[in-house]
Amino acid sequence: MAFFNLIGNKMKFEVTTDPVSSYSSLSVTSASFDVKRRSFFLVVIVQPSNAKQSVRFGVQPVVEVRDVGTGIRAHPLKEHWTLTVSLVSGAPNATLSGTTNVTIENERAVFTDLSVSIYGTNTVLEFVSSSGHKVCSTVQQN
């Protein structure tokens, strides 16, 4: 799928009346405007919590794709996106387990079985979309 910006567009409005009148020949052309591709960002709408060593998080993270222009859910999201999660801070030598790459459906990525091998304070997860967007979870502490 090709994406591009449409630059220098104009719209022309013409008046048509039935029966024909002196207003029928009126028209106006808009100022020039650009049509740009939508921009997005990620938000962690459900923060992971209730993590215990080698046990699934009690609350699994949910990440939403939002539209930069409106700040709301980017519906409809017309491209196929995936989201990958990784452990960026926490206990030394800890590993993240579970399904770490999910498909974004209905503008949301829902994780269901994440756990950490060693739990420590200051645990942070980083989420990266297949489109290059990034967001981190808030710090989870015991």
Side-chain angles (χ1 to χ4, degrees):
M1 178 180 262
F3 292 101
F4 53 90
N5 295 331
L6 300 174
I7 299 172
N9 293 288
K10 292 184 179 183
M11 294 178 68
K12 183 175 182 179
F13 301 90
E14 296 180 346
V15 175
T16 305
T17 62
D18 187 23
V20 175
S21 72
S22 61
Y23 298 108
S24 290
S25 62
L26 294 177
S27 68
V28 65
T29 301
S30 73
S32 179
F33 62 92
D34 300 338
V35 177
K36 297 180 181 177
R37 183 174 177 215
R38 288 171 68 194
S39 296
F40 305 101
F41 65 101
L42 301 175
V43 175
V44 180
I45 60 171
V46 176
Q47 293 289 338
S49 63
N50 298 335
K52 296 184 178 22
Q53 186 168 310
S54 298
V55 176
R56 289 182 182 176
F57 296 167
V59 176
Q60 296 286 323
V62 177
V63 178
E64 185 171 86
V65 180
R66 295 198 176 168
D67 184 283
V68 168
T70 63
I72 60 174
R73 196 174 188 167
H75 181 75
L77 189 61
K78 296 182 178 184
E79 302 168 36
H80 174 79
W81 285 37
T82 58
L83 196 69
T84 302
V85 61
S86 60
L87 185 63
V88 293
S89 72
N93 302 317
T95 58
L96 182 66
S97 298
T99 306
T100 57
N101 189 345
V102 299
T103 298
I104 295 176
E105 296 180 18
N106 297 317
E107 299 78 43
R108 287 188 177 164
V110 179
F111 294 87
T112 59
D113 61 352
L114 298 178
S115 64
V116 289
S117 60
I118 303 168
Y119 186 72
T121 58
N122 302 324
T123 301
V124 175
L125 302 178
E126 180 181 60
F127 304 91
V128 180
S129 77
S130 54
S131 296
H133 302 82
K134 293 181 183 182
V135 68
C136 288
S137 66
T138 58
V139 172
Q140 301 300 308
Q141 298 184 6
N142 276 342

